[in-house]
Amino acid sequence: MAAYYTYNFLPPISSDLDSLIHDFERESDYDYQTFASVWQKHKLEFLFKAADIQPNSFRFFLDDSMTVAASYLGQPWRLPIQLGALYCLFTIYMYQIEEPKIKIRLPIDTLNSFLDQMELSSAIPADAKTILCKLIHEHAFVISATRHEMGPRFFTKMNYMKSGKYMRSDVLLSSRLNIDEKLITMCEEAHNLYTKAKDNLIEASGGTDSLPQELTSIRPNFIEQLKKEFDLERSDDQFDQEEQPDTEPEPIPQRGPSIGETRSRIRAKAEMIAKPKASASVKEEYTFDDDHDDYNNDDDADECSLDMIADNVNNDKRSAKRAGQIIRDVQSSGTGLDIVEKGHNDPQTKADRASQQLIISSLVKHFPQLTVRGEENIPLEKSAASSDIDDLIGSNLDEILKAPCPTEFQKLEEKDLVIWVDPLDGTREFTEGRLEGVTVLIGVATQGNAIGGIIHQPFYEDGGQSGRSIWGLVHAGVYGKCDINKTPLPGRIVAGSLSHRSKTVIDAVNACQPTEVLQAGGCGYKSLLVLERRVHVYVHASRGCSLWDTCAPEAILRAAGGRLTDVFGNGISYFPTDQTSVKTGVLATMADHDWYAQQIREKINNL
Ligand SMILES: Nc1ncnc2c1ncn2[C@@H]1O[C@H](COP(=O)(O)O)[C@@H](OP(=O)(O)O)[C@H]1O
Ligand SMILES: [Mg+2]
């Protein structure tokens, strides 16, 4: 038997999802006690069954388990199976040990159909409703607008792979971790479960004629098919080459009003069991100074020839500005933000999506060899590279960074650069109307180091001018509408997260020995507070920030003589791997960086 993750508060392993669902299915009474007793018997053990692989693939397994379980929520499964799946999801999500938790992937159609059932069927026990509301309130779901096939996610994944479109990162992930065999084992289990459920369905409905097509088309030799499709002998390089889509990516699927509609239903339901937490107080009197001298802006500097990085930075700057306009338009249109909860406390709005479409399409079009990583996991829309953006890029060449190109960067080629895009940082603040925390972040990295960046603040207001951009290049300086506070700051002012707080986050803020704490939204915005000497330090001791949150801020702070590292003072690496989370938090300062890191190290061991 395999070696398992042993958490001393968890019982040993003896069952699996298959028998769990089976047990739920046999029950005729669906009250909470019944479900609780089934859970008692199974003790969550199936969760840890495949956990002997590697820590990373444990998360992968967990994610897939939830996706498999979630596929039993929608039609055409019978109510007992759907409720069983709901209880599975509840337990898998609520009892996860790691933070941030893995979220449950749910197609919008599935959620809609389940919510309909919940509303229409009087047979659903109140406990099940409570559990659904609890999950919704915990932001446990990632809701996707893409249609998924009925059944285990693997079928969807294979079809995508065959059509050469998406799931590239999933494929690469599995090949890098060398877990294809494990994946197959898991899929085999999922397939058995699926087949068994199908048999039950056939039995209950009295024949195959009345079954939906999806259920009658399961292939008989599943594992043989699987191995053939996967061709396990292929090397990583072959994967790399072969998974490159030769065709243009598909346009982003239409995200109609159904998401918005579902959102209000979700909210209404969530409020049945819990009121939203009161938002923390923001330092209301916070304002910018009146004069806006550019920081480090040397008018006599030599003009850089249209150097590639400067060109990039300049291109990024205009994209960021245009993206800012899109964000403002969405905000002022009054048509709703069309919020999708990507995960726990991790919303996405149509402004995030539109902004990223614009930035990435513009970058990819003009610099096809760049590696571009964006926060939002959405396909590139062909039409986004519209002519007005082309005009924008082709004009205003005088805006190109006027500074000598640092010698270190003169030999860099386009393919050496990785661009990290956060199309809308501070999404939570955006959805709640605290607009000063909203920024567009575009960072440039090479050889794992953040070297250039733009922070655009779309809702910055100054004498009738909306929005401002600040951009910087390491060794070249910081430019744009940067407004340094010239009055020495009293005490020790620490900026911390407003929306993502935990005990460790608060402990790290306190470790900095603050005389004042400023809670504000957005990594970009808090980095600006540091840059402009409104606070002494920005600290966020959580695993929630990602490389797109920190790349542009780090480059700009470095360009201005400051630093941004993890909370322990270690540098952050910006290589374009699958690991995008900054797992050891963020610490940003203009001075005394090592002192702050030392204080935090003394209080906190790990995140
Ligand atoms: N605990 C957490 N869970 C999820 N996301 C987190 C997080 N902590 C920080 N983040 C991400 O880091 C960014 C800044 O967070 P904060 O406003 O709390 O400082 C946000 O980016 P987005 O708004 O782009 O999603 C947020 O999603
Ligand atoms: Mg962000």
Side-chain angles (χ1 to χ4, degrees):
M1 192 175 243
Y4 303 109
Y5 271 41
T6 48
Y7 294 104
N8 53 16
F9 52 94
L10 283 171
I13 290 145
S14 67
S15 67
D16 60 16
L17 187 59
D18 196 352
S19 56
L20 182 75
I21 295 267
H22 183 70
D23 277 16
F24 277 128
E25 208 191 340
R26 283 194 323 205
E27 299 296 338
S28 55
D29 188 8
Y30 310 126
D31 63 17
Y32 184 73
Q33 286 306 319
T34 310
F35 282 105
S37 69
V38 177
W39 276 118
Q40 290 281 307
K41 188 174 140 213
H42 286 275
K43 297 187 176 112
L44 319 179
E45 292 138 351
F46 72 92
L47 277 184
F48 301 93
K49 209 173 131 208
D52 59 318
I53 327 165
Q54 289 168 30
N56 282 345
S57 49
F58 169 62
R59 287 180 74 82
F60 186 79
F61 169 78
L62 208 57
D63 192 20
D64 271 5
S65 299
M66 283 199 285
T67 310
V68 169
S71 73
Y72 291 90
L73 266 196
Q75 299 287 2
W77 303 108
R78 288 187 293 129
L79 191 56
I81 300 177
Q82 291 182 335
L83 291 181
L86 177 66
Y87 279 78
C88 281
L89 291 174
F90 175 71
T91 311
I92 297 173
Y93 184 79
M94 299 303 282
Y95 289 81
Q96 279 181 52
I97 296 154
E98 281 191 65
E99 288 286 351
K101 288 181 186 169
I102 297 202
K103 305 119 195 173
I104 302 159
R105 288 165 204 279
L106 216 53
I108 190 76
D109 292 352
T110 302
L111 183 64
N112 274 337
S113 96
F114 195 68
L115 288 172
D116 286 339
Q117 287 251 33
M118 286 290 215
E119 267 164 15
L120 298 177
S121 172
S122 54
I124 301 209
D127 287 316
K129 291 183 178 167
T130 308
I131 281 184
L132 182 68
C133 292
K134 178 101 179 125
L135 286 172
I136 289 166
H137 184 68
E138 289 272 328
H139 304 289
F141 298 107
V142 179
I143 299 165
S144 72
T146 330
R147 282 191 72 87
H148 286 243
E149 285 174 30
M150 173 54 66
R153 178 185 173 200
F154 191 75
F155 288 103
T156 315
K157 188 182 283 189
M158 278 210 307
N159 284 340
Y160 270 110
M161 280 163 55
K162 275 199 294 194
S163 64
K165 288 178 195 151
Y166 284 96
M167 315 308 279
R168 182 172 140 74
S169 63
D170 282 17
V171 173
L172 288 179
L173 181 70
S174 36
S175 63
R176 286 215 186 104
L177 296 174
N178 197 22
I179 58 167
D180 289 346
E181 293 283 4
K182 300 285 180 187
L183 189 66
I184 286 175
T185 311
M186 211 191 78
C187 288
E188 191 175 23
E189 284 172 12
H191 179 70
N192 291 339
L193 175 62
Y194 189 83
T195 313
K196 190 166 177 177
K198 180 188 125 186
D199 292 343
N200 290 334
L201 206 71
I202 292 172
E203 203 183 306
S205 60
T208 48
D209 290 351
S210 53
L211 284 180
Q213 233 252 287
E214 295 92 324
L215 290 179
T216 54
S217 62
I218 299 172
R219 283 171 298 180
N221 302 319
F222 179 72
I223 295 303
E224 282 64 35
Q225 291 279 356
L226 206 58
K227 287 189 170 145
K228 220 157 92 192
E229 301 282 352
F230 240 127
D231 188 6
L232 293 176
E233 304 309 314
R234 284 193 294 178
S235 68
D236 284 6
D237 288 345
Q238 281 171 304
F239 265 111
D240 268 325
Q241 284 160 15
E242 289 179 27
E243 298 306 330
Q244 290 281 9
D246 344 330
T247 48
E248 289 273 336
E250 285 236 307
I252 185 169
Q254 272 299 317
R255 290 159 203 262
S258 59
I259 294 179
E261 186 199 312
T262 303
R263 183 188 138 225
S264 34
R265 295 169 71 194
I266 286 172
R267 288 269 152 86
K269 284 177 186 299
E271 277 159 15
M272 280 165 53
I273 59 157
K275 288 199 183 319
K277 286 175 205 147
S279 57
S281 62
V282 195
K283 194 183 164 202
E284 292 292 347
E285 66 276 17
Y286 174 74
T287 48
F288 288 93
D289 282 356
D290 285 330
D291 62 343
H292 294 288
D293 291 340
D294 285 0
Y295 173 74
N296 201 11
N297 196 353
D298 179 2
D299 284 338
D300 296 324
D302 294 343
E303 183 165 341
C304 188
S305 60
L306 291 186
D307 159 81
M308 184 254 312
I309 297 175
D311 201 8
N312 253 316
V313 168
N314 190 55
N315 182 25
D316 291 357
K317 192 187 73 162
R318 281 176 298 206
S319 299
K321 205 169 157 191
R322 180 87 177 96
Q325 183 59 48
I326 286 180
I327 293 170
R328 278 198 301 274
D329 290 349
V330 170
Q331 204 272 332
S332 59
S333 67
T335 56
L337 304 181
D338 201 359
I339 301 170
V340 181
E341 288 292 347
K342 289 187 292 176
H344 179 62
N345 211 354
D346 195 7
Q348 181 200 68
T349 70
K350 70 179 169 201
D352 296 55
R353 296 187 287 273
S355 170
Q356 172 159 314
Q357 285 286 359
L358 177 125
I359 294 167
I360 296 194
S361 60
S362 157
L363 281 170
V364 166
K365 182 160 186 196
H366 290 270
F367 305 101
Q369 293 187 58
L370 285 179
T371 305
V372 185
R373 290 296 178 93
E375 169 168 8
E376 309 310 343
N377 188 15
I378 51 172
L380 187 61
E381 198 177 42
K382 279 183 244 167
S383 59
S386 60
S387 57
D388 60 338
I389 301 161
D390 293 349
D391 294 346
L392 202 67
I393 305 258
S395 64
N396 292 331
L397 283 177
D398 56 321
E399 264 196 16
I400 287 179
L401 194 61
K402 284 191 174 136
C405 182
T407 41
E408 301 72 341
F409 305 145
Q410 277 169 7
K411 293 222 168 74
L412 282 180
E413 293 176 36
E414 203 175 300
K415 64 176 173 43
D416 301 328
L417 301 179
V418 182
I419 313 291
W420 292 96
V421 177
D422 188 340
L424 198 166
D425 184 47
T427 310
R428 174 64 63 204
E429 334 309 310
F430 181 60
T431 60
E432 291 171 3
R434 289 188 297 273
L435 300 177
E436 82 280 4
V438 173
T439 55
V440 179
L441 304 175
I442 306 179
V444 183
T446 187
Q447 292 168 335
N449 298 314
I451 59 162
I454 319 287
I455 300 180
H456 178 74
Q457 207 180 8
F459 298 103
Y460 178 83
E461 292 290 340
D462 175 40
Q465 194 200 330
S466 288
R468 65 166 176 168
S469 296
I470 291 160
W471 65 103
L473 188 60
V474 170
H475 304 308
V478 175
Y479 300 82
K481 212 168 174 50
C482 187
D483 178 22
I484 308 290
N485 174 24
K486 305 200 176 72
T487 321
L489 277 183
R492 200 175 287 115
I493 308 176
V494 181
S497 175
L498 177 61
S499 314
H500 302 100
R501 280 177 298 156
S502 64
K503 183 176 178 307
T504 317
V505 165
I506 293 163
D507 285 350
V509 167
N510 289 334
C512 295
Q513 303 176 24
T515 55
E516 190 182 337
V517 176
L518 179 60
Q519 286 171 347
C523 182
Y525 177 62
K526 286 188 286 279
S527 301
L528 282 181
L529 294 177
V530 172
L531 177 76
E532 296 187 317
R533 280 52 159 201
R534 314 278 161 192
V535 300
H536 292 89
V537 56
Y538 155 40
V539 60
H540 188 52
S542 140
R543 313 176 93 185
C545 281
S546 301
L547 296 173
W548 44 76
D549 291 310
T550 56
C551 186
E554 177 177 344
I556 293 174
L557 284 170
R558 281 182 62 203
R563 284 171 71 188
L564 186 150
T565 64
D566 75 5
V567 290
F568 305 119
N570 303 312
I572 296 170
S573 164
Y574 293 91
F575 286 109
T577 60
D578 288 316
Q579 175 53 61
T580 52
S581 139
V582 181
K583 289 199 163 160
T584 37
V586 178
L587 178 70
T589 62
M590 290 304 296
D592 305 325
H593 198 88
D594 291 337
W595 184 84
Y596 286 109
Q598 175 65 29
Q599 302 311 306
I600 294 168
R601 278 199 300 271
E602 281 172 15
K603 294 279 172 357
I604 293 169
N605 296 327
N606 53 45
L607 304 189

